[in-house]
Amino acid sequence: MYTLADAATMATLILFVIYFIGRIITVRMEKNMFYDEIVFTSSDCIENKRYDIIDEISTENLNNESSEYETLVIITSRQGIRNLKIEKMFYDDDLNEIKSKRETVGECKFLNIGQSFAIRTFIPELIPRYRIEYETQDFRKVSFELLDNFKSGIISETVVVKHTPKSIIYYLFR
């Protein structure tokens, strides 16, 4: 009788360990996964039917002469976005970023699945002027700079996704 109880205890412990190994593998696999859509387009080519834009901000004082260089950055949520912030970046004389001196230009508290947020701005080629940060529905922190990608032109290559303690707990006990 004791051997059956011991075998059940060992099987339970082994299954418990296998479960957490699987959860850790899931956390590692989800580390760099990015589900949302980011599109750079000219403001003339926007199709309102394609995007459900709920809010739009402009980072610059635009006039008619410079509007031809204006880019519309559209962020579309695929699983929910929380606390989206657009921050202006500042640099010292050696072009090192001053991390303590950031200014919030715009924000959006929540984007539901399929909703979009638009930013009218000028996209620089080398030195970014704005950083976008937000939290996904599974509590990961996503950030990227508004900057041209000369390698392939795809902005989602420059996106940095980081796990937070909340996201690790979310994936461990999901």
Side-chain angles (χ1 to χ4, degrees):
M1 183 133 187
Y2 288 110
T3 58
L4 183 61
D6 291 340
T9 302
M10 289 304 280
T12 303
L13 286 173
I14 290 170
L15 288 174
F16 185 73
V17 168
I18 290 171
Y19 172 79
F20 273 104
I21 289 172
R23 294 283 98 197
I24 291 169
I25 291 170
T26 302
V27 168
R28 289 193 176 182
M29 286 177 55
E30 289 288 325
K31 180 181 179 186
N32 296 321
M33 295 298 290
F34 176 68
Y35 298 106
D36 303 315
E37 179 183 3
I38 302 168
V39 177
F40 286 5
T41 185
S42 68
S43 57
D44 300 336
C45 298
I46 185 154
E47 302 168 12
N48 289 331
K49 296 176 186 173
R50 181 171 176 220
Y51 301 104
D52 184 15
I53 298 174
I54 62 165
D55 199 6
E56 180 179 323
I57 68 155
S58 179
T59 60
E60 311 288 333
N61 293 330
L62 303 173
N63 55 25
N64 291 338
E65 298 166 1
S66 62
S67 64
E68 67 184 69
Y69 301 110
E70 175 188 74
T71 302
L72 190 64
V73 180
I74 301 173
I75 303 168
T76 303
S77 169
R78 295 290 178 229
Q79 70 180 103
I81 290 177
R82 294 183 182 143
N83 302 325
L84 184 132
K85 286 191 304 189
I86 299 99
E87 296 178 334
K88 186 170 185 174
M89 301 168 66
F90 294 94
Y91 298 95
D92 61 10
D93 294 336
D94 296 328
L95 295 178
N96 296 318
E97 181 185 355
I98 304 171
K99 295 187 186 232
S100 62
K101 187 179 179 186
R102 288 189 187 163
E103 176 185 323
T104 301
V105 175
E107 60 186 355
C108 181
K109 293 294 180 194
F110 181 73
L111 284 177
N112 208 345
I113 297 171
Q115 291 180 336
S116 299
F117 185 81
I119 305 157
R120 289 187 185 279
T121 189
F122 297 106
I123 303 296
E125 294 179 350
L126 296 175
I127 301 171
R129 294 174 32 181
Y130 297 99
R131 175 178 288 128
I132 297 177
E133 292 181 345
Y134 63 87
E135 190 176 284
T136 61
Q137 193 64 19
D138 53 0
F139 304 107
R140 291 181 298 159
K141 193 79 155 180
V142 177
S143 66
F144 62 95
E145 281 112 21
L146 293 179
L147 183 68
D148 270 341
N149 181 1
F150 289 121
K151 177 183 168 192
S152 65
I154 300 172
I155 190 64
S156 59
E157 262 190 347
T158 63
V159 173
V160 177
V161 182
K162 293 182 183 176
H163 275 295
T164 62
K166 277 186 183 180
S167 71
I168 292 172
I169 291 170
Y170 173 81
Y171 280 108
L172 284 178
F173 298 107
R174 178 176 97 163

